[in-house]
Amino acid sequence: MTKLIIQIPCYNEEATLGVALTALPREIPGVDVVEWLIINDGSVDQTVDVAKACGVDHIVGFDRNRGLAKAFMAGLDASLKAGADIIVNTDADNQYCADDIPKLIQPILQGHADMVVGARPIEEIQHFSPLKKVLQRLGSWVVRLASNTHIPDAPSGFRAYSREAAIRLNVFNEYTYTLETIIQAGQEGMSVTSVPIRTNGYLRPSRLVKSIPAYIQRSIFTIIRIFMTYRPLRFFAVLGTIPMGLGVLLCIRWLLLFSFGDPTRSRTPSLILATILILIGFQLWMFGAIADVMAVNRKMLGDVQQRLRRAEYDKYRH
């Protein structure tokens, strides 16, 4: 029996949650059971009452607001404990078209993917400013580069996860899960794909993107942090090559000027700067080597965590 659970993180969503829940399906071809789950992220309005009135099957709650990333992970945990084989994540503002859920989960049902990301028609979304559209494309390109995947809309929150993918995922960032989970899945060798989806009308402003500069800053920090975690040797090798290369060029310049230039000028400052740059580059390379060795321990701990998770969640399967 295949069970699908559709989860929705919620924070003060009484105005839009009813619309989003009404659009969700209860029957999907290829799935035996469809259940709904909401994560009440410290809401102080009537979000929970609206969810109960709409017949939500599972409610997970926090006493205070803990952020989208924590709510997302709590939803995965509750869905796995409820015996989910496939988990779909969507938003409470009804941004994504629920009729596309069958299309979203199809690659997982067919065994072709572990994670599926819904790609929005960014150019057709009217309430996205030209700057935001450019940033969406740029951010998705950076995520593709860091994750070795081909996801055209990395910030999209309309996603489907297999049970195995949900067990293996970890989110360290407290801001959002969207970029981190793609990079993590790609670096962990999971099969990640995307399908085109539709969007609904604009109901409320985004609470995640409160300002473009803040969103860019947090996204950059997230990408750098995950890349350092999963590809430390490559990250520090590239970082160290920059000062090392500059230092070597300064050394070559000093040698040429010393051999063929004015012999009365020592050009000591250039030589000192070159030495400092070479030492910085070498230290960064050493950091990469040490971090790469530590990454082996992280991988081993991750494997242990996955075994424990599987053992725990298998107890809840019927």
Side-chain angles (χ1 to χ4, degrees):
M1 183 178 72
T2 302
K3 176 184 282 191
L4 166 68
I5 294 184
I6 305 170
Q7 70 171 39
I8 305 179
C10 299
Y11 177 58
N12 294 336
E13 302 286 5
E14 65 175 359
T16 60
L17 181 59
V19 178
L21 289 172
T22 302
L24 294 183
R26 278 296 189 181
E27 294 182 358
I28 295 178
V31 175
D32 300 298
V33 178
V34 178
E35 295 179 355
W36 303 345
L37 178 147
I38 72 158
I39 307 97
N40 175 34
D41 190 16
S43 299
V44 294
D45 63 358
Q46 304 303 311
T47 293
V48 173
D49 294 333
V50 172
K52 291 178 178 178
C54 292
V56 168
D57 302 281
H58 310 278
I59 298 176
V60 180
F62 295 149
D63 293 333
R64 58 181 177 83
N65 180 252
R66 299 183 64 186
L68 180 59
K70 295 289 186 183
F72 169 78
M73 288 303 295
L76 291 189
D77 178 68
S79 295
L80 289 168
K81 287 179 178 178
D85 298 291
I86 303 173
I87 302 168
V88 167
N89 187 88
T90 188
D91 285 357
D93 62 358
N94 199 42
Q95 174 186 174
Y96 307 107
C97 181
D99 291 339
D100 287 334
I101 291 178
K103 182 196 300 186
L104 190 71
I105 67 172
Q106 198 61 32
I108 296 177
L109 287 174
Q110 294 174 348
H112 297 158
D114 300 304
M115 178 193 303
V116 184
V117 180
R120 296 166 293 181
I122 298 297
E123 296 301 326
E124 300 175 13
I125 301 179
Q126 296 181 357
H127 64 272
F128 277 16
S129 67
L131 176 59
K132 188 173 182 178
K133 292 178 180 180
V134 171
L135 292 174
Q136 291 275 25
R137 290 195 297 268
L138 179 60
S140 296
W141 174 79
V142 173
V143 171
R144 289 196 296 272
L145 187 66
S147 64
N148 294 323
T149 62
H150 303 281
I151 304 303
D153 185 12
S156 171
F158 193 43
R159 301 168 174 217
Y161 301 88
S162 68
R163 178 178 180 273
E164 179 65 20
I167 289 174
R168 295 175 64 183
L169 286 176
N170 283 305
V171 175
F172 306 109
N173 187 277
E174 297 183 356
Y175 178 57
T176 181
Y177 64 91
T178 54
L179 307 183
E180 183 171 357
T181 49
I182 293 177
I183 296 173
Q184 185 180 135
Q187 299 289 5
E188 287 287 328
M190 299 185 207
S191 176
V192 185
T193 189
S194 68
V195 296
I197 57 147
R198 296 164 291 176
T199 57
N200 297 317
Y202 178 72
L203 295 182
R204 64 161 173 78
S206 172
R207 292 174 179 166
L208 192 64
V209 187
K210 295 181 179 179
S211 72
I212 295 297
Y215 180 74
I216 294 173
Q217 180 182 353
R218 290 188 175 187
S219 297
I220 290 173
F221 286 159
T222 297
I223 292 169
I224 292 175
R225 182 180 180 183
I226 298 303
F227 204 75
M228 287 173 61
T229 301
Y230 289 94
R231 287 294 184 269
L233 184 60
R234 182 186 301 178
F235 177 83
F236 285 104
V238 172
L239 204 62
T241 299
I242 297 172
M244 178 66 75
L246 291 174
V248 170
L249 289 175
L250 281 175
C251 281
I252 294 173
R253 173 181 176 274
W254 183 86
L255 287 172
L256 291 174
L257 292 175
F258 181 80
S259 301
F260 305 105
D262 185 356
T264 61
R265 296 182 59 185
S266 63
R267 298 180 176 86
T268 303
S270 295
L271 189 60
I272 294 174
L273 179 59
T275 303
I276 292 173
L277 289 172
I278 289 174
L279 287 174
I280 291 173
F282 180 75
Q283 286 180 331
L284 288 171
W285 285 352
M286 290 301 298
F287 289 156
I290 295 170
D292 193 56
V293 173
M294 294 176 63
V296 175
N297 292 329
R298 180 197 58 78
K299 176 63 176 174
M300 293 173 63
L301 290 173
D303 291 341
V304 172
Q305 181 192 54
Q306 291 169 25
R307 290 175 183 268
L308 292 174
R309 282 181 173 178
R310 289 191 188 95
E312 178 186 3
Y313 294 134
D314 281 346
K315 295 186 298 185
Y316 298 98
R317 301 193 79 184
H318 301 295

